[in-house]
Amino acid sequence: MKRAVAVLALGLAVPAAANAADHTNLEEGLPLSLTDARPIGYLGREIQGVFRYEHTDRDEDAFLGETRLEFGFPRNAQLSISVPYLFGEIEPDGFQAVRGEFLYNLNQEDVLLPSFSLAAALDFPMGNDAHGFDPVLKAIVTKSIPFTEHFQQVHLNFEWLFNDDVRSGERARSWRAVAGYSVRLGPDTLGLFDVVREMTLERGRRENLVELGIRHQLTPRAVLSAGVGAGIGDESPDVRSTLGFQFAF
Amino acid sequence: MNRRTRYLAVALASAALAPACGTSPTFELRDDASFVRGPYNAAFFWRHEDPYRFQAAVHVAHALQHDRLQLTPLSEHSAVDARTDAEYLEAVARPPRIGPHMMTYGPHVGQAIWPLYRAIDWTHQHHDQTYDILMSRDVAWSEKERWTRRAVREYLARQPDAARSPAPLDVTMRRAGVMAKPYFTLFRNLYPRSNDFFYVAHWWHPVIYEAVMIAGNDEEQEEAIRATHALTDQVMRERPQRMLLAREAMPRYARLSPESANIFDNLHMLHGFAYDILAYEGWTLEEKRRELVRVIEAMSYQPGDEALARKFSLPYPGMDPRVYADWMRPAQGAMTQIMEEMLVEMWPAMSPDGAETPPAAVMEQARKKFAPGVQEGEHPGSLMEALAVVAPGMKHDPAAMAPGAGSSRMVEMMLAGWRKRHGSMSGVALIPMDEDPTPSATGQEMR
């Protein structure tokens, strides 16, 4: 319990005086796997916290706390660094690979053309079972639905991870594909839905997940998010629920 | 189907879809920027919740109006106008907590004309900054001017092409040269309820600044803003018939930061131009984009604009923002004066008989077009269409009326006219900010 509180504090504690995240700008893990092609604004600074519970297909209770710092630099791009911490009945627990990521947005969408972003990341080994520096590539596509006043977007994400130090029972590469939809539910609230298909690093394992979530603008600088997901198929987590917080400072 | 055939099919499908959408791919960058950091951030949100939420509702209306005009036929303007106004009143009755970005309530136009939303959102960010600075207890009264100057500087530097000019509207409106365009005055004439809703908003914004300017940093600020915001219901019932300018409705703030006050007017006028253009059905969406991009550029910062910032006069320097004064209501005011001056300056190039000044019938028709709704004796269509009826043979420059094009000759005539009338004025004097002010009793003339 003490560990859970500590990780919650790590994930969710923010400076009291800090401030303009944007609930319409999707971020991975906040609260779904889905993200959009839009970076945060130039010279933006944001702290993000994720707290996630998962009941795995192996009947384990797993908790994840993650803190992420994001910077809008240079223009049309963002840099981020995230530190995840895993605990509960799952092994290996403790700190997980620290990810440094650079995302670049290639274009603003128009009526026909979606917005495209490319991201490159590197997972740095951290924690007891750490090994290898794993490069990651991502392609993100976002398109708003035209000819309607109602703000709705569809998103496609594809991510490849290259396993730098392959161990027994691991694949050399993994990938994850996410297709999702976001819609304005109110002036301050966005609804999200996605479907995730992941080929994990563990050899022979594939996960499928359906997720639902909301993002709510709490203050001009803070966004709260919550989501739930259910696995489909034997190798997928039974259930996943996520709470997230973003603060622009 | 092999790969090459598939690519070809996609390219052909895009080419076929483009005209149907009235647009073609733009391949532009988003070029968004974050807000400017300071000890004052979000002070308005935390200190004056109800007024802050009213402003958020106004931003919903501003955003929605773009798509409403683009996605509904002009022939249904009366019904659309009534429905839209009702939705705005509903938004005011149940306001959001936070003001949305334009894209959230006007996504279709945002996809087609991103530079418009970029300019609006960035300038709304600037307004947030300047409200926050005035309302922050953490910024001493004597420090307000310094922080406001920094906010203006960052606003202009961080997104120069999205920033509105700090030059007076008299100058930027002449640069934009929109009065001869086939869309000018359509929104105010055919959608008067929605238009007048925004005239309420353009009363509200400056008088809230001004409430702080008469009350200072202490608890008197709460009382002055409460008393000013409390007028909103009355003003909504008896809406102003013109866009009030900063120089009229926030004279003290215009003396604190003439640059910021002008940016404020320039954004409000851009809203009006955008709505006129979107209401016009003679152009495709791509042509509307070209025209709006031209207008945005013409009204953006240009070197030397700072030197013009103070060149306007203050018709009501001692006004009380806590009073909805009679002079705030009619169509005639500083805004209409600018448009009348422009028409007079353009006339030598338009006159059918070579006259230097427009005849009384032209000025009378123009005043009708400048007012919201359709007046008795007003001719249908844009300003130029109406003037052509009362001045047969009036000269037009067809090239200057085309989307994305302007008449440099006409613009130069108007700017020369402005220089002649106002160029030599010394401009408004800056307001002393050394002492936190104390408001007088409501309705009394103040400094």
Side-chain angles (χ1 to χ4, degrees):
Chain A
M1 187 60 195
K2 275 183 183 171
R3 275 174 113 184
V5 171
V7 170
L8 255 178
L10 175 74
L12 301 182
V14 291
N19 269 300
D22 179 354
H23 69 291
T24 63
N25 184 8
L26 308 188
E27 299 287 347
E28 188 177 328
L30 292 161
L32 311 189
S33 307
L34 187 69
T35 188
D36 63 7
R38 177 180 155 194
I40 63 170
Y42 175 59
L43 299 184
R45 300 193 301 254
E46 219 170 87
I47 185 164
Q48 303 173 348
V50 179
F51 184 71
R52 193 174 83 192
Y53 162 75
E54 192 172 291
H55 189 77
T56 70
D57 60 311
R58 292 165 181 146
D59 214 22
E60 301 155 329
D61 288 320
F63 298 89
L64 173 85
E66 184 175 326
T67 301
R68 193 183 302 155
L69 281 172
E70 207 165 83
F71 303 94
F73 188 84
R75 285 187 189 272
N76 300 302
Q78 67 184 33
L79 293 159
S80 65
I81 183 159
S82 49
V83 183
Y85 186 90
L86 199 61
F87 64 100
E89 296 168 349
I90 197 160
E91 290 295 335
D93 60 3
F95 283 106
Q96 306 294 299
V98 172
R99 176 170 289 189
E101 183 176 295
F102 174 75
L103 177 145
Y104 186 75
N105 179 230
L106 299 171
N107 68 302
Q108 168 64 17
E109 65 172 329
D110 60 34
V111 175
L112 292 173
L113 188 71
S115 178
F116 296 93
S117 282
L118 293 174
L122 192 62
D123 285 351
F124 296 88
M126 189 164 172
N128 295 335
D129 198 46
H131 59 283
F133 290 81
D134 300 335
V136 180
L137 290 176
K138 291 182 189 177
I140 304 157
V141 183
T142 292
K143 182 73 193 82
S144 300
I145 298 178
F147 302 102
T148 169
E149 297 170 354
H150 211 87
F151 180 67
Q152 303 163 80
Q153 294 186 312
V154 289
H155 316 271
L156 292 172
N157 307 165
F158 203 89
E159 175 181 318
W160 297 266
L161 186 142
F162 302 91
N163 194 354
D164 172 49
D165 181 12
V166 182
R167 296 198 171 173
S168 145
E170 287 186 347
R171 290 191 177 99
R173 281 189 294 276
S174 69
W175 57 260
R176 182 170 64 166
V178 187
Y181 167 77
S182 55
V183 58
R184 165 169 57 79
L185 299 177
D188 306 323
T189 307
L190 198 73
L192 303 98
F193 167 80
D194 73 11
V195 180
V196 184
R197 166 86 167 163
E198 183 170 4
M199 185 85 76
T200 66
L201 274 183
E202 187 180 329
R203 192 175 292 280
R205 188 174 172 81
R206 292 180 182 84
E207 291 183 0
N208 304 295
L209 205 62
V210 177
E211 299 177 296
L212 266 176
I214 57 167
R215 288 170 56 78
H216 179 71
Q217 189 86 41
L218 194 62
T219 76
R221 292 181 161 193
V223 173
L224 271 182
S225 54
V228 292
I232 300 170
D234 291 343
E235 296 158 2
S236 308
D238 292 340
V239 65
R240 175 186 285 179
S241 57
T242 307
L243 282 175
F245 191 80
Q246 292 169 250
F247 212 93
F249 65 97
Chain B
M1 191 185 285
N2 66 29
R3 185 179 294 179
R4 184 177 296 177
T5 315
R6 274 205 305 272
Y7 285 151
L8 188 64
V10 169
L12 286 173
S14 301
L17 274 173
C21 299
T23 182
S24 57
T26 51
F27 302 109
E28 65 192 340
L29 290 170
R30 181 177 177 85
D31 274 338
D32 203 5
S34 184
F35 64 98
V36 179
R37 269 77 180 163
Y40 49 80
N41 289 141
F44 191 1
F45 173 81
W46 292 110
R47 193 168 177 181
H48 304 290
E49 184 184 358
D50 286 349
Y52 182 88
R53 295 184 69 175
F54 177 80
Q55 177 187 241
V58 168
H59 286 188
V60 167
H62 267 311
L64 180 58
Q65 190 69 61
H66 299 106
D67 275 12
R68 190 55 56 86
L69 292 167
Q70 182 58 33
L71 295 174
T72 57
L74 191 63
S75 57
E76 294 173 13
H77 63 88
S78 294
V80 169
D81 187 34
R83 174 163 61 93
T84 308
D85 183 50
E87 287 175 41
Y88 293 168
L89 293 174
E90 177 61 23
V92 167
R94 296 195 305 167
R97 282 175 57 79
I98 317 288
H101 294 301
M102 293 295 102
M103 194 72 183
T104 320
Y105 276 83
H108 180 62
V109 168
Q111 291 166 69
I113 318 177
W114 172 244
L116 174 66
Y117 284 9
R118 194 167 155 256
I120 295 172
D121 284 337
W122 183 235
T123 310
H124 281 164
Q125 180 274 153
H126 176 66
H127 292 341
D128 284 345
Q129 295 273 313
T130 49
Y131 275 128
D132 288 346
I133 291 167
L134 276 190
M135 293 168 179
S136 171
R137 291 188 179 93
D138 294 332
V139 177
W141 190 252
S142 58
E143 290 290 299
K144 305 280 188 198
E145 192 273 337
R146 182 172 71 83
W147 283 100
T148 302
R149 202 160 8 99
R150 172 183 175 267
V152 171
R153 193 172 61 237
E154 290 290 326
Y155 167 74
L156 295 173
R158 206 173 276 193
Q159 303 235 67
D161 48 344
R164 301 301 78 213
S165 170
L169 180 62
D170 315 52
V171 173
T172 58
M173 193 151 169
R174 284 169 166 91
R175 274 185 202 153
V178 294
M179 278 179 41
K181 294 285 188 170
Y183 53 75
F184 191 67
T185 72
L186 282 185
F187 179 61
R188 76 185 72 177
N189 295 152
L190 299 180
Y191 298 86
R193 292 189 198 190
S194 314
N195 177 80
D196 294 354
F197 176 88
F198 295 118
Y199 284 175
V200 174
H202 298 166
W203 157 82
W204 185 91
H205 280 292
V207 294
I208 292 295
Y209 279 99
E210 205 63 3
V212 184
M213 290 302 294
I214 63 167
N217 238 11
D218 51 22
E219 273 60 42
E220 290 165 349
Q221 184 181 122
E222 270 73 10
E223 181 53 32
I225 287 190
R226 190 203 58 72
T228 305
H229 181 60
L231 294 170
T232 307
D233 285 348
Q234 183 201 351
V235 180
M236 200 63 87
R237 289 192 305 271
E238 305 159 20
R239 302 180 187 189
Q241 295 298 289
R242 70 178 189 277
M243 186 179 103
L244 285 161
L245 298 190
R247 69 194 65 170
E248 297 175 294
M250 52 178 192
R252 298 168 190 84
Y253 187 80
R255 290 175 62 202
L256 167 67
S257 177
E259 295 83 2
S260 187
N262 292 332
I263 289 165
F264 184 88
D265 286 342
N266 285 323
L267 176 72
H268 286 179
M269 198 67 250
L270 177 63
H271 284 311
F273 292 161
Y275 297 151
D276 275 349
I277 292 167
L278 292 168
Y280 180 57
E281 290 187 328
W283 292 339
T284 65
L285 192 49
E286 187 170 342
E287 289 171 324
K288 293 178 182 186
R289 178 191 158 89
R290 283 213 301 274
E291 177 66 2
L292 263 164
V293 167
R294 183 192 71 80
V295 170
I296 289 165
E297 195 180 322
M299 299 184 79
S300 65
Y301 171 76
Q302 296 181 14
D305 280 357
E306 309 90 325
L308 307 176
R310 288 165 55 188
K311 290 190 180 290
F312 55 83
S313 55
L314 300 172
Y316 309 100
M319 62 83 72
D320 187 340
R322 299 164 298 176
V323 175
Y324 184 39
D326 288 344
W327 58 263
M328 295 176 171
R329 304 166 191 238
Q332 200 63 28
M335 181 72 246
T336 19
Q337 185 191 334
I338 293 175
M339 293 187 289
E340 288 183 20
E341 285 178 5
M342 289 168 63
L343 183 56
V344 170
E345 289 154 4
M346 288 160 65
W347 192 253
M350 296 161 58
S351 166
D353 54 10
E356 285 295 308
T357 52
V362 164
M363 294 308 291
E364 187 191 343
Q365 190 60 215
R367 286 186 192 111
K368 291 182 195 295
K369 298 306 288 186
F370 295 156
V374 178
Q375 316 296 312
E376 195 179 332
E378 180 179 323
H379 297 295
S382 67
L383 171 67
M384 283 301 133
E385 288 173 289
L387 296 188
V389 177
V390 294
M394 194 177 77
K395 293 172 193 158
H396 294 283
D397 178 359
M401 294 178 77
S407 165
S408 53
R409 177 173 165 246
M410 209 73 112
V411 168
E412 193 39 55
M413 284 173 72
M414 288 188 285
L415 288 172
W418 179 81
R419 283 192 291 269
K420 192 173 166 190
R421 286 176 209 274
H422 308 291
S424 61
M425 76 190 309
S426 54
V428 293
L430 296 180
I431 195 166
M433 294 288 286
D434 44 349
E435 278 182 39
D436 192 298
T438 299
S440 60
T442 304
Q444 278 189 9
E445 185 78 4
M446 287 175 283
R447 267 178 63 212

